[in-house]
Amino acid sequence: MTSSLIANEVKLVFKPNKSLQEQVTIKTSQDSFKYLLEVWDKDSLYYQEQFVVLYLDRMHRVIAHSCIAKGGLNYCHPDPKIVFAIALKCMASGLILVHNHPSCNKTPSESDKLLTKNFVQLAKLFDMSILDHIIICGERDYLSFADDHLLPNV
C-alpha cells in the first residue's frame, strides 16, 4: 500500500497547566472584566478592536482564553469555526464573548447584537451557553450584555 492513500491525522489535545483549584472562577461581569484586563494587550486597547473568548467549565472556572480576531479601529470579524473548535477542544460548557471599542463608546452596535444572537444559536447546537458578551471601553469601563439583559433568548 502506498503512503499516498493515508489520510491526514487529527489529534485533539488540550493540556491544562493549572489544577482545578488554581483556576479563576467567574461569578460576575466584574470578575470577567478584571480577568480580561490581566490578559488583554493594553497597548492596542485604544486603537485596534480585538475579539477574545473566555472558555469556562460547568462551575464557571476559566479553562482558557483566546484572542480570536484582531481588526481595525471599529471592526473585528471573529470566525465562529475557530471559536467553537477551541471550545470543543477544551470541553467548555460556557463562553464569554468579549471585544473592545477603541472609541470607548460602550453602546453595542446592531452588528454586535446580531453577532451575539448568532453565537447564542450556534452554542446551543453544541450544548454550550453564551454566558455574556462584554464590550470593554478602556481600562475602567465596560458593558455586559448579561447585566443589561441584552443576551438573546433564542
Side-chain angles (χ1 to χ4, degrees):
M1 183 179 285
T2 64
S3 62
S4 64
L5 298 177
I6 297 174
N8 296 321
E9 179 183 11
V10 174
K11 288 185 179 183
L12 293 177
V13 178
F14 174 70
K15 296 180 182 178
N17 60 4
K18 290 187 173 189
S19 69
L20 290 176
Q21 293 77 19
E22 295 175 302
Q23 292 174 319
V24 174
T25 300
I26 302 293
K27 296 179 182 173
T28 66
S29 64
Q30 183 66 35
D31 293 340
S32 299
F33 184 60
K34 286 196 296 192
Y35 180 88
L36 290 158
L37 287 180
E38 291 294 320
V39 301
W40 204 277
D41 176 8
K42 291 184 192 78
D43 291 338
S44 62
L45 195 57
Y46 297 99
Y47 78 88
Q48 183 181 38
E49 196 166 302
Q50 297 180 43
F51 191 90
V52 172
V53 178
L54 300 182
Y55 298 93
L56 284 68
D57 66 11
R58 292 208 182 278
M59 301 295 292
H60 293 189
R61 293 176 294 220
V62 178
I63 301 168
H65 67 270
S66 184
C67 181
I68 302 299
K70 294 182 179 185
L73 187 60
N74 60 356
Y75 66 90
C76 190
H77 301 288
D79 187 334
K81 293 183 290 296
I82 295 171
V83 171
F84 288 102
I86 295 168
L88 291 167
K89 188 174 232 180
C90 66
M91 301 297 289
S93 296
L95 285 68
I96 297 176
L97 311 175
V98 187
H99 76 282
N100 64 311
H101 279 180
S103 67
C104 292
N105 176 359
K106 65 182 183 179
T107 304
S109 67
E110 289 305 313
S111 177
D112 293 337
K113 292 175 186 176
L114 180 59
L115 179 134
T116 305
K117 180 180 178 184
N118 290 340
F119 272 93
V120 167
Q121 290 174 327
L122 289 169
K124 286 186 181 206
L125 295 173
F126 296 107
D127 193 28
M128 296 176 192
S129 300
I130 301 300
L131 302 172
D132 204 347
H133 184 168
I134 294 175
I135 298 174
I136 293 179
C137 299
E139 296 179 55
R140 290 187 166 75
D141 202 11
Y142 69 94
L143 174 128
S144 162
F145 275 57
D147 292 352
D148 290 2
H149 309 289
L150 297 172
L151 279 179
N153 292 327
V154 182

